[in-house]
PDB file of all heavy atoms in Angstrom:
ATOM      1  N   SER V  20      76.135 -51.918  47.444  1.00 93.00           N
ATOM      2  CA  SER V  20      75.685 -52.499  48.719  1.00 93.00           C
ATOM      3  C   SER V  20      75.006 -51.480  49.621  1.00 93.00           C
ATOM      4  O   SER V  20      74.432 -51.846  50.645  1.00 93.00           O
ATOM      5  CB  SER V  20      76.868 -53.132  49.452  1.00 93.00           C
ATOM      6  OG  SER V  20      77.810 -52.133  49.796  1.00 93.00           O
ATOM      7  N   ARG V  21      75.025 -50.209  49.234  1.00 95.00           N
ATOM      8  CA  ARG V  21      74.490 -49.155  50.093  1.00 95.00           C
ATOM      9  C   ARG V  21      73.209 -48.514  49.582  1.00 95.00           C
ATOM     10  O   ARG V  21      72.669 -47.616  50.234  1.00 95.00           O
ATOM     11  CB  ARG V  21      75.562 -48.077  50.285  1.00 95.00           C
ATOM     12  CG  ARG V  21      76.825 -48.640  50.957  1.00 95.00           C
ATOM     13  CD  ARG V  21      77.836 -47.591  51.317  1.00 95.00           C
ATOM     14  NE  ARG V  21      77.203 -46.476  51.993  1.00 95.00           N
ATOM     15  CZ  ARG V  21      77.559 -45.199  51.802  1.00 95.00           C
ATOM     16  NH1 ARG V  21      78.538 -44.889  50.976  1.00 95.00           N
ATOM     17  NH2 ARG V  21      76.946 -44.224  52.448  1.00 95.00           N
ATOM     18  N   VAL V  22      72.690 -48.953  48.439  1.00 93.00           N
ATOM     19  CA  VAL V  22      71.530 -48.268  47.852  1.00 93.00           C
ATOM     20  C   VAL V  22      70.268 -48.365  48.702  1.00 93.00           C
ATOM     21  O   VAL V  22      69.346 -47.569  48.519  1.00 93.00           O
ATOM     22  CB  VAL V  22      71.230 -48.735  46.408  1.00 93.00           C
ATOM     23  CG1 VAL V  22      72.366 -48.393  45.477  1.00 93.00           C
ATOM     24  CG2 VAL V  22      70.878 -50.188  46.359  1.00 93.00           C
ATOM     25  N   TYR V  23      70.227 -49.305  49.624  1.00 89.00           N
ATOM     26  CA  TYR V  23      69.031 -49.449  50.464  1.00 89.00           C
ATOM     27  C   TYR V  23      69.209 -48.804  51.845  1.00 89.00           C
ATOM     28  O   TYR V  23      68.415 -49.044  52.745  1.00 89.00           O
ATOM     29  CB  TYR V  23      68.636 -50.927  50.575  1.00 89.00           C
ATOM     30  CG  TYR V  23      68.134 -51.443  49.256  1.00 89.00           C
ATOM     31  CD1 TYR V  23      68.968 -52.155  48.406  1.00 89.00           C
ATOM     32  CD2 TYR V  23      66.849 -51.153  48.825  1.00 89.00           C
ATOM     33  CE1 TYR V  23      68.518 -52.592  47.170  1.00 89.00           C
ATOM     34  CE2 TYR V  23      66.388 -51.578  47.597  1.00 89.00           C
ATOM     35  CZ  TYR V  23      67.227 -52.295  46.767  1.00 89.00           C
ATOM     36  OH  TYR V  23      66.778 -52.711  45.544  1.00 89.00           O
ATOM     37  N   GLU V  24      70.197 -47.951  52.012  1.00 91.00           N
ATOM     38  CA  GLU V  24      70.419 -47.232  53.265  1.00 91.00           C
ATOM     39  C   GLU V  24      69.557 -45.975  53.368  1.00 91.00           C
ATOM     40  O   GLU V  24      69.680 -45.206  54.305  1.00 91.00           O
ATOM     41  CB  GLU V  24      71.899 -46.848  53.398  1.00 91.00           C
ATOM     42  CG  GLU V  24      72.822 -48.026  53.563  1.00 91.00           C
ATOM     43  CD  GLU V  24      74.290 -47.626  53.644  1.00 91.00           C
ATOM     44  OE1 GLU V  24      74.615 -46.420  53.574  1.00 91.00           O
ATOM     45  OE2 GLU V  24      75.120 -48.545  53.764  1.00 91.00           O
ATOM     46  N   ILE V  25      68.677 -45.792  52.432  1.00 92.00           N
ATOM     47  CA  ILE V  25      67.847 -44.592  52.354  1.00 92.00           C
ATOM     48  C   ILE V  25      66.671 -44.686  53.335  1.00 92.00           C
ATOM     49  O   ILE V  25      66.053 -45.732  53.469  1.00 92.00           O
ATOM     50  CB  ILE V  25      67.299 -44.440  50.912  1.00 92.00           C
ATOM     51  CG1 ILE V  25      68.461 -44.241  49.937  1.00 92.00           C
ATOM     52  CG2 ILE V  25      66.289 -43.317  50.816  1.00 92.00           C
ATOM     53  CD1 ILE V  25      68.049 -44.339  48.498  1.00 92.00           C
ATOM     54  N   ASN V  26      66.356 -43.571  53.999  1.00 86.00           N
ATOM     55  CA  ASN V  26      65.124 -43.481  54.790  1.00 86.00           C
ATOM     56  C   ASN V  26      63.994 -43.279  53.796  1.00 86.00           C
ATOM     57  O   ASN V  26      63.948 -42.249  53.118  1.00 86.00           O
ATOM     58  CB  ASN V  26      65.188 -42.295  55.763  1.00 86.00           C
ATOM     59  CG  ASN V  26      66.272 -42.473  56.791  1.00 86.00           C
ATOM     60  OD1 ASN V  26      66.488 -43.560  57.293  1.00 86.00           O
ATOM     61  ND2 ASN V  26      66.971 -41.391  57.089  1.00 86.00           N
ATOM     62  N   GLU V  27      63.099 -44.254  53.692  1.00 83.00           N
ATOM     63  CA  GLU V  27      62.079 -44.201  52.649  1.00 83.00           C
ATOM     64  C   GLU V  27      60.679 -44.335  53.219  1.00 83.00           C
ATOM     65  O   GLU V  27      60.505 -44.712  54.374  1.00 83.00           O
ATOM     66  CB  GLU V  27      62.342 -45.284  51.601  1.00 83.00           C
ATOM     67  CG  GLU V  27      62.489 -46.669  52.194  1.00 83.00           C
ATOM     68  CD  GLU V  27      63.027 -47.664  51.191  1.00 83.00           C
ATOM     69  OE1 GLU V  27      64.194 -47.546  50.795  1.00 83.00           O
ATOM     70  OE2 GLU V  27      62.255 -48.545  50.819  1.00 83.00           O
ATOM     71  N   THR V  28      59.700 -44.039  52.382  1.00 74.00           N
ATOM     72  CA  THR V  28      58.303 -44.042  52.819  1.00 74.00           C
ATOM     73  C   THR V  28      57.426 -44.958  51.982  1.00 74.00           C
ATOM     74  O   THR V  28      56.232 -44.719  51.845  1.00 74.00           O
ATOM     75  CB  THR V  28      57.719 -42.620  52.754  1.00 74.00           C
ATOM     76  OG1 THR V  28      57.805 -42.149  51.405  1.00 74.00           O
ATOM     77  CG2 THR V  28      58.423 -41.683  53.701  1.00 74.00           C
ATOM     78  N   TRP V  29      57.995 -46.016  51.408  1.00 67.00           N
ATOM     79  CA  TRP V  29      57.168 -46.942  50.631  1.00 67.00           C
ATOM     80  C   TRP V  29      56.099 -47.535  51.535  1.00 67.00           C
ATOM     81  O   TRP V  29      56.383 -47.936  52.660  1.00 67.00           O
ATOM     82  CB  TRP V  29      58.025 -48.075  50.052  1.00 67.00           C
ATOM     83  CG  TRP V  29      58.861 -47.657  48.886  1.00 67.00           C
ATOM     84  CD1 TRP V  29      60.194 -47.361  48.905  1.00 67.00           C
ATOM     85  CD2 TRP V  29      58.443 -47.496  47.533  1.00 67.00           C
ATOM     86  NE1 TRP V  29      60.618 -47.015  47.651  1.00 67.00           N
ATOM     87  CE2 TRP V  29      59.560 -47.090  46.787  1.00 67.00           C
ATOM     88  CE3 TRP V  29      57.226 -47.646  46.886  1.00 67.00           C
ATOM     89  CZ2 TRP V  29      59.499 -46.841  45.423  1.00 67.00           C
ATOM     90  CZ3 TRP V  29      57.172 -47.397  45.525  1.00 67.00           C
ATOM     91  CH2 TRP V  29      58.301 -46.997  44.814  1.00 67.00           C
ATOM     92  N   PRO V  30      54.842 -47.630  51.057  1.00 60.00           N
ATOM     93  CA  PRO V  30      53.804 -48.246  51.882  1.00 60.00           C
ATOM     94  C   PRO V  30      54.124 -49.730  52.121  1.00 60.00           C
ATOM     95  O   PRO V  30      54.764 -50.366  51.280  1.00 60.00           O
ATOM     96  CB  PRO V  30      52.528 -48.096  51.061  1.00 60.00           C
ATOM     97  CG  PRO V  30      52.905 -47.492  49.773  1.00 60.00           C
ATOM     98  CD  PRO V  30      54.355 -47.139  49.788  1.00 60.00           C
ATOM     99  N   PRO V  31      53.691 -50.273  53.245  1.00 59.00           N
ATOM    100  CA  PRO V  31      54.042 -51.652  53.615  1.00 59.00           C
ATOM    101  C   PRO V  31      53.678 -52.709  52.569  1.00 59.00           C
ATOM    102  O   PRO V  31      54.403 -53.674  52.393  1.00 59.00           O
ATOM    103  CB  PRO V  31      53.266 -51.894  54.912  1.00 59.00           C
ATOM    104  CG  PRO V  31      53.002 -50.545  55.455  1.00 59.00           C
ATOM    105  CD  PRO V  31      52.907 -49.616  54.283  1.00 59.00           C
ATOM    106  N   PHE V  32      52.571 -52.512  51.825  1.00 56.00           N
ATOM    107  CA  PHE V  32      52.155 -53.553  50.882  1.00 56.00           C
ATOM    108  C   PHE V  32      53.189 -53.790  49.780  1.00 56.00           C
ATOM    109  O   PHE V  32      53.235 -54.863  49.198  1.00 56.00           O
ATOM    110  CB  PHE V  32      50.786 -53.240  50.264  1.00 56.00           C
ATOM    111  CG  PHE V  32      50.828 -52.271  49.117  1.00 56.00           C
ATOM    112  CD1 PHE V  32      51.011 -52.723  47.813  1.00 56.00           C
ATOM    113  CD2 PHE V  32      50.678 -50.914  49.320  1.00 56.00           C
ATOM    114  CE1 PHE V  32      51.046 -51.838  46.747  1.00 56.00           C
ATOM    115  CE2 PHE V  32      50.717 -50.022  48.263  1.00 56.00           C
ATOM    116  CZ  PHE V  32      50.902 -50.489  46.971  1.00 56.00           C
ATOM    117  N   THR V  33      54.032 -52.794  49.487  1.00 57.00           N
ATOM    118  CA  THR V  33      54.988 -52.963  48.392  1.00 57.00           C
ATOM    119  C   THR V  33      56.032 -54.030  48.679  1.00 57.00           C
ATOM    120  O   THR V  33      56.652 -54.549  47.758  1.00 57.00           O
ATOM    121  CB  THR V  33      55.696 -51.639  48.042  1.00 57.00           C
ATOM    122  OG1 THR V  33      56.411 -51.170  49.184  1.00 57.00           O
ATOM    123  CG2 THR V  33      54.701 -50.588  47.576  1.00 57.00           C
TER     124      THR V  33
END
Side-chain angles (χ1 to χ4, degrees):
S20 64
R21 299 187 47 218
V22 296
Y23 291 98
E24 293 178 0
I25 297 169
N26 296 320
E27 53 192 68
T28 59
W29 285 101
F32 81 89
T33 61

